[in-house]
Amino acid sequence: MADILEQLGINFKLLFIQLLGFLILLWMMKKFLWGRVLDMIQNRTAEIKNAYDSNEKTRSEVIALKSEYEQKLYKARVEADAIVKSAVDQAEKEGRAIIEKSRIEAEQVRSRALADIDQEKKRVIAEMRIEVLRVSVEIAGRLLARQIDTADVGRITDEVISEIGGMRQ
Protein backbone atom coordinates (compact mmCIF):
# COMPACT_ATOMS: atom_id res chain seq x y z
CA MET A 1 0.00 0.00 0.00
CA ALA A 2 2.90 2.29 0.58
CA ASP A 3 3.85 1.58 -3.04
CA ILE A 4 0.51 2.68 -4.31
CA LEU A 5 0.63 5.86 -2.25
CA GLU A 6 4.12 6.63 -3.54
CA GLN A 7 3.02 6.00 -7.11
CA LEU A 8 0.14 8.42 -6.59
CA GLY A 9 2.55 11.01 -5.18
CA ILE A 10 1.08 11.23 -1.71
CA ASN A 11 3.49 12.08 1.08
CA PHE A 12 2.07 11.36 4.58
CA LYS A 13 4.37 13.74 6.31
CA LEU A 14 3.39 16.63 4.09
CA LEU A 15 -0.23 15.61 4.25
CA PHE A 16 -0.13 15.56 8.02
CA ILE A 17 1.51 19.03 8.22
CA GLN A 18 -1.04 20.49 5.80
CA LEU A 19 -3.89 18.94 7.77
CA LEU A 20 -2.46 20.32 10.99
CA GLY A 21 -2.10 23.83 9.40
CA PHE A 22 -5.64 23.67 8.12
CA LEU A 23 -6.97 22.73 11.56
CA ILE A 24 -5.02 25.57 13.19
CA LEU A 25 -6.34 28.00 10.57
CA LEU A 26 -9.84 26.72 11.14
CA TRP A 27 -9.47 27.08 14.90
CA MET A 28 -8.12 30.66 14.54
CA MET A 29 -10.92 31.62 12.21
CA LYS A 30 -13.42 30.21 14.61
CA LYS A 31 -11.82 31.95 17.57
CA PHE A 32 -11.25 35.41 16.03
CA LEU A 33 -13.36 35.79 12.89
CA TRP A 34 -16.35 33.45 12.98
CA GLY A 35 -18.11 35.25 15.89
CA ARG A 36 -17.81 38.63 14.14
CA VAL A 37 -19.10 37.24 10.86
CA LEU A 38 -22.02 35.55 12.62
CA ASP A 39 -22.77 38.81 14.50
CA MET A 40 -22.75 40.76 11.22
CA ILE A 41 -25.03 38.18 9.61
CA GLN A 42 -27.37 38.23 12.60
CA ASN A 43 -27.40 42.06 12.64
CA ARG A 44 -28.13 42.19 8.92
CA THR A 45 -30.86 39.56 9.36
CA ALA A 46 -32.37 41.61 12.19
CA GLU A 47 -32.24 44.79 10.05
CA ILE A 48 -33.94 43.04 7.16
CA LYS A 49 -36.56 41.59 9.50
CA ASN A 50 -37.16 45.01 11.08
CA ALA A 51 -37.48 46.62 7.64
CA TYR A 52 -39.91 43.91 6.54
CA ASP A 53 -41.95 44.30 9.76
CA SER A 54 -41.93 48.08 9.31
CA ASN A 55 -43.11 47.68 5.71
CA GLU A 56 -45.88 45.31 6.83
CA LYS A 57 -46.93 47.73 9.57
CA THR A 58 -46.94 50.63 7.09
CA ARG A 59 -48.90 48.53 4.63
CA SER A 60 -51.44 47.68 7.34
CA GLU A 61 -51.73 51.36 8.25
CA VAL A 62 -52.19 52.30 4.58
CA ILE A 63 -54.93 49.69 4.20
CA ALA A 64 -56.63 50.94 7.39
CA LEU A 65 -56.38 54.57 6.22
CA LYS A 66 -57.72 53.63 2.81
CA SER A 67 -60.64 51.82 4.41
CA GLU A 68 -61.31 54.79 6.70
CA TYR A 69 -61.11 57.17 3.72
CA GLU A 70 -63.55 55.03 1.73
CA GLN A 71 -65.97 54.98 4.69
CA LYS A 72 -65.74 58.76 5.07
CA LEU A 73 -66.21 59.19 1.34
CA TYR A 74 -69.27 56.93 1.43
CA LYS A 75 -70.70 58.86 4.40
CA ALA A 76 -70.04 62.15 2.58
CA ARG A 77 -71.85 60.86 -0.50
CA VAL A 78 -74.78 59.69 1.62
CA GLU A 79 -74.91 63.09 3.34
CA ALA A 80 -74.69 64.90 0.00
CA ASP A 81 -77.49 62.75 -1.39
CA ALA A 82 -79.58 63.47 1.70
CA ILE A 83 -78.93 67.21 1.40
CA VAL A 84 -79.84 67.20 -2.29
CA LYS A 85 -82.98 65.17 -1.61
CA SER A 86 -83.93 67.51 1.22
CA ALA A 87 -83.37 70.54 -1.00
CA VAL A 88 -85.45 69.00 -3.80
CA ASP A 89 -88.23 68.13 -1.35
CA GLN A 90 -88.13 71.65 0.10
CA ALA A 91 -88.21 73.18 -3.38
CA GLU A 92 -91.16 71.01 -4.37
CA LYS A 93 -92.95 71.94 -1.15
CA GLU A 94 -92.32 75.63 -1.74
CA GLY A 95 -93.40 75.24 -5.37
CA ARG A 96 -96.66 73.65 -4.28
CA ALA A 97 -97.15 76.45 -1.73
CA ILE A 98 -96.55 79.10 -4.40
CA ILE A 99 -98.96 77.38 -6.78
CA GLU A 100 -101.59 77.12 -4.02
CA LYS A 101 -101.09 80.78 -3.12
CA SER A 102 -101.42 81.76 -6.79
CA ARG A 103 -104.56 79.65 -7.11
CA ILE A 104 -106.08 81.31 -4.03
CA GLU A 105 -105.15 84.78 -5.31
CA ALA A 106 -106.63 83.95 -8.73
CA GLU A 107 -109.82 82.73 -7.05
CA GLN A 108 -109.98 85.95 -5.01
CA VAL A 109 -109.46 88.07 -8.16
CA ARG A 110 -112.15 86.05 -9.93
CA SER A 111 -114.53 86.45 -6.97
CA ARG A 112 -113.88 90.21 -6.86
CA ALA A 113 -114.38 90.44 -10.62
CA LEU A 114 -117.67 88.52 -10.38
CA ALA A 115 -118.76 90.77 -7.49
CA ASP A 116 -117.81 93.87 -9.51
CA ILE A 117 -119.71 92.53 -12.52
CA ASP A 118 -122.75 91.76 -10.37
CA GLN A 119 -122.59 95.20 -8.78
CA GLU A 120 -122.22 96.89 -12.17
CA LYS A 121 -125.15 94.84 -13.51
CA LYS A 122 -127.32 95.94 -10.58
CA ARG A 123 -126.26 99.57 -11.10
CA VAL A 124 -127.09 99.36 -14.84
CA ILE A 125 -130.46 97.75 -14.10
CA ALA A 126 -131.21 100.47 -11.55
CA GLU A 127 -130.24 103.17 -14.08
CA MET A 128 -132.40 101.49 -16.73
CA ARG A 129 -135.38 101.45 -14.36
CA ILE A 130 -134.88 105.11 -13.64
CA GLU A 131 -134.56 105.84 -17.35
CA VAL A 132 -137.66 103.76 -18.18
CA LEU A 133 -139.61 105.58 -15.49
CA ARG A 134 -138.37 108.92 -16.76
CA VAL A 135 -139.33 107.99 -20.33
CA SER A 136 -142.73 106.73 -19.16
CA VAL A 137 -143.34 109.95 -17.29
CA GLU A 138 -142.26 111.97 -20.30
CA ILE A 139 -144.56 109.98 -22.61
CA ALA A 140 -147.44 110.40 -20.22
CA GLY A 141 -146.67 114.11 -19.91
CA ARG A 142 -146.61 114.60 -23.66
CA LEU A 143 -149.80 112.62 -24.11
CA LEU A 144 -151.57 114.64 -21.53
CA ALA A 145 -150.16 117.87 -22.84
CA ARG A 146 -151.41 117.29 -26.35
CA GLN A 147 -154.66 115.55 -25.87
CA ILE A 148 -154.14 113.43 -28.86
CA ASP A 149 -155.76 110.43 -30.36
CA THR A 150 -154.52 106.82 -30.51
CA ALA A 151 -152.64 107.24 -33.76
CA ASP A 152 -150.69 110.07 -32.23
CA VAL A 153 -149.92 107.97 -29.15
CA GLY A 154 -148.18 105.32 -31.29
CA ARG A 155 -146.23 107.96 -33.18
CA ILE A 156 -145.11 109.75 -30.00
CA THR A 157 -144.10 106.44 -28.40
CA ASP A 158 -141.98 105.60 -31.46
CA GLU A 159 -140.34 109.05 -31.28
CA VAL A 160 -139.46 108.64 -27.61
CA ILE A 161 -138.07 105.14 -28.18
CA SER A 162 -135.91 106.35 -31.07
CA GLU A 163 -134.66 109.24 -28.87
CA ILE A 164 -133.76 106.71 -26.18
CA GLY A 165 -131.95 104.61 -28.76
CA GLY A 166 -130.02 107.71 -29.85
CA MET A 167 -128.94 108.37 -26.26
CA ARG A 168 -127.46 104.90 -25.85
CA GLN A 169 -125.19 105.15 -28.83
CSV table of all heavy atoms in Angstrom, one decimal, residues 120-134 168:
chain,number,residue,atom,x,y,z
A,120,GLU,N,-122.0,96.0,-11.0
A,120,GLU,CA,-122.2,96.9,-12.2
A,120,GLU,C,-123.5,96.6,-12.8
A,120,GLU,O,-124.3,97.4,-13.3
A,120,GLU,CB,-121.0,96.7,-13.1
A,120,GLU,CG,-121.1,97.6,-14.3
A,120,GLU,CD,-120.9,99.1,-14.0
A,120,GLU,OE1,-120.3,99.4,-12.9
A,120,GLU,OE2,-121.3,99.9,-14.8
A,121,LYS,N,-123.9,95.3,-12.9
A,121,LYS,CA,-125.2,94.8,-13.5
A,121,LYS,C,-126.3,95.4,-12.7
A,121,LYS,O,-127.3,96.0,-13.3
A,121,LYS,CB,-125.2,93.3,-13.5
A,121,LYS,CG,-126.5,92.7,-14.0
A,121,LYS,CD,-126.4,91.2,-13.9
A,121,LYS,CE,-127.7,90.5,-14.2
A,121,LYS,NZ,-127.7,89.1,-13.9
A,122,LYS,N,-126.3,95.4,-11.4
A,122,LYS,CA,-127.3,95.9,-10.6
A,122,LYS,C,-127.4,97.5,-10.8
A,122,LYS,O,-128.5,98.0,-10.9
A,122,LYS,CB,-127.1,95.6,-9.1
A,122,LYS,CG,-127.3,94.2,-8.8
A,122,LYS,CD,-127.0,93.9,-7.3
A,122,LYS,CE,-127.2,92.4,-7.0
A,122,LYS,NZ,-126.9,92.1,-5.6
A,123,ARG,N,-126.3,98.1,-10.9
A,123,ARG,CA,-126.3,99.6,-11.1
A,123,ARG,C,-126.9,99.9,-12.4
A,123,ARG,O,-127.7,100.8,-12.5
A,123,ARG,CB,-124.8,100.1,-11.0
A,123,ARG,CG,-124.7,101.6,-11.1
A,123,ARG,CD,-123.3,102.1,-11.2
A,123,ARG,NE,-122.6,101.7,-12.4
A,123,ARG,CZ,-122.8,102.2,-13.6
A,123,ARG,NH1,-123.7,103.2,-13.8
A,123,ARG,NH2,-122.2,101.7,-14.7
A,124,VAL,N,-126.5,99.1,-13.5
A,124,VAL,CA,-127.1,99.4,-14.8
A,124,VAL,C,-128.6,99.1,-14.8
A,124,VAL,O,-129.4,99.9,-15.4
A,124,VAL,CB,-126.4,98.5,-15.9
A,124,VAL,CG1,-127.1,98.5,-17.2
A,124,VAL,CG2,-124.9,99.0,-16.1
A,125,ILE,N,-129.0,98.0,-14.2
A,125,ILE,CA,-130.5,97.7,-14.1
A,125,ILE,C,-131.2,98.9,-13.4
A,125,ILE,O,-132.3,99.3,-13.8
A,125,ILE,CB,-130.7,96.4,-13.4
A,125,ILE,CG1,-130.3,95.2,-14.3
A,125,ILE,CG2,-132.2,96.2,-13.0
A,125,ILE,CD1,-130.3,93.9,-13.7
A,126,ALA,N,-130.6,99.4,-12.3
A,126,ALA,CA,-131.2,100.5,-11.6
A,126,ALA,C,-131.3,101.7,-12.4
A,126,ALA,O,-132.3,102.4,-12.5
A,126,ALA,CB,-130.4,100.8,-10.3
A,127,GLU,N,-130.2,102.0,-13.2
A,127,GLU,CA,-130.2,103.2,-14.1
A,127,GLU,C,-131.3,103.0,-15.2
A,127,GLU,O,-132.0,104.0,-15.5
A,127,GLU,CB,-128.9,103.4,-14.7
A,127,GLU,CG,-127.8,104.0,-13.8
A,127,GLU,CD,-126.5,104.1,-14.4
A,127,GLU,OE1,-126.3,103.9,-15.7
A,127,GLU,OE2,-125.5,104.5,-13.7
A,128,MET,N,-131.4,101.7,-15.7
A,128,MET,CA,-132.4,101.5,-16.7
A,128,MET,C,-133.8,101.7,-16.2
A,128,MET,O,-134.7,102.2,-16.9
A,128,MET,CB,-132.2,100.1,-17.3
A,128,MET,CG,-131.1,99.9,-18.2
A,128,MET,SD,-130.9,98.3,-18.9
A,128,MET,CE,-132.3,98.0,-19.7
A,129,ARG,N,-134.1,101.3,-15.0
A,129,ARG,CA,-135.4,101.5,-14.4
A,129,ARG,C,-135.7,102.9,-14.2
A,129,ARG,O,-136.8,103.4,-14.5
A,129,ARG,CB,-135.4,100.8,-13.0
A,129,ARG,CG,-135.6,99.3,-13.0
A,129,ARG,CD,-135.8,98.7,-11.6
A,129,ARG,NE,-135.8,97.3,-11.7
A,129,ARG,CZ,-135.6,96.5,-10.8
A,129,ARG,NH1,-135.2,96.9,-9.6
A,129,ARG,NH2,-135.7,95.2,-10.9
A,130,ILE,N,-134.7,103.7,-13.8
A,130,ILE,CA,-134.9,105.1,-13.6
A,130,ILE,C,-135.2,105.7,-15.0
A,130,ILE,O,-136.1,106.6,-15.2
A,130,ILE,CB,-133.7,105.8,-13.0
A,130,ILE,CG1,-133.6,105.3,-11.5
A,130,ILE,CG2,-133.7,107.3,-13.1
A,130,ILE,CD1,-132.3,105.7,-10.8
A,131,GLU,N,-134.4,105.3,-16.0
A,131,GLU,CA,-134.6,105.8,-17.4
A,131,GLU,C,-135.9,105.5,-17.9
A,131,GLU,O,-136.6,106.3,-18.5
A,131,GLU,CB,-133.4,105.3,-18.3
A,131,GLU,CG,-133.4,105.9,-19.6
A,131,GLU,CD,-133.1,107.4,-19.6
A,131,GLU,OE1,-132.4,107.9,-18.7
A,131,GLU,OE2,-133.6,108.1,-20.5
A,132,VAL,N,-136.4,104.2,-17.7
A,132,VAL,CA,-137.7,103.8,-18.2
A,132,VAL,C,-138.8,104.6,-17.5
A,132,VAL,O,-139.7,105.0,-18.1
A,132,VAL,CB,-137.9,102.2,-18.0
A,132,VAL,CG1,-139.3,101.8,-18.2
A,132,VAL,CG2,-136.9,101.5,-18.9
A,133,LEU,N,-138.6,104.8,-16.2
A,133,LEU,CA,-139.6,105.6,-15.5
A,133,LEU,C,-139.6,107.0,-16.0
A,133,LEU,O,-140.7,107.6,-16.2
A,133,LEU,CB,-139.3,105.6,-14.0
A,133,LEU,CG,-139.6,104.3,-13.2
A,133,LEU,CD1,-139.1,104.4,-11.8
A,133,LEU,CD2,-141.1,104.1,-13.2
A,134,ARG,N,-138.5,107.6,-16.2
A,134,ARG,CA,-138.4,108.9,-16.8
A,134,ARG,C,-139.1,109.0,-18.1
A,134,ARG,O,-139.8,109.9,-18.4
A,134,ARG,CB,-136.9,109.4,-16.8
A,134,ARG,CG,-136.8,110.8,-17.2
A,134,ARG,CD,-135.3,111.2,-17.4
A,134,ARG,NE,-134.8,110.5,-18.6
A,134,ARG,CZ,-135.0,110.9,-19.9
A,134,ARG,NH1,-135.8,111.9,-20.1
A,134,ARG,NH2,-134.4,110.2,-20.9
A,168,ARG,N,-128.3,106.0,-26.2
A,168,ARG,CA,-127.5,104.9,-25.9
A,168,ARG,C,-126.2,104.8,-26.8
A,168,ARG,O,-125.3,104.2,-26.4
A,168,ARG,CB,-128.3,103.6,-25.9
A,168,ARG,CG,-129.2,103.5,-24.8
A,168,ARG,CD,-129.8,102.2,-24.7
A,168,ARG,NE,-130.8,102.2,-23.6
A,168,ARG,CZ,-131.3,101.1,-23.1
A,168,ARG,NH1,-131.1,100.0,-23.7
A,168,ARG,NH2,-132.2,101.2,-22.1
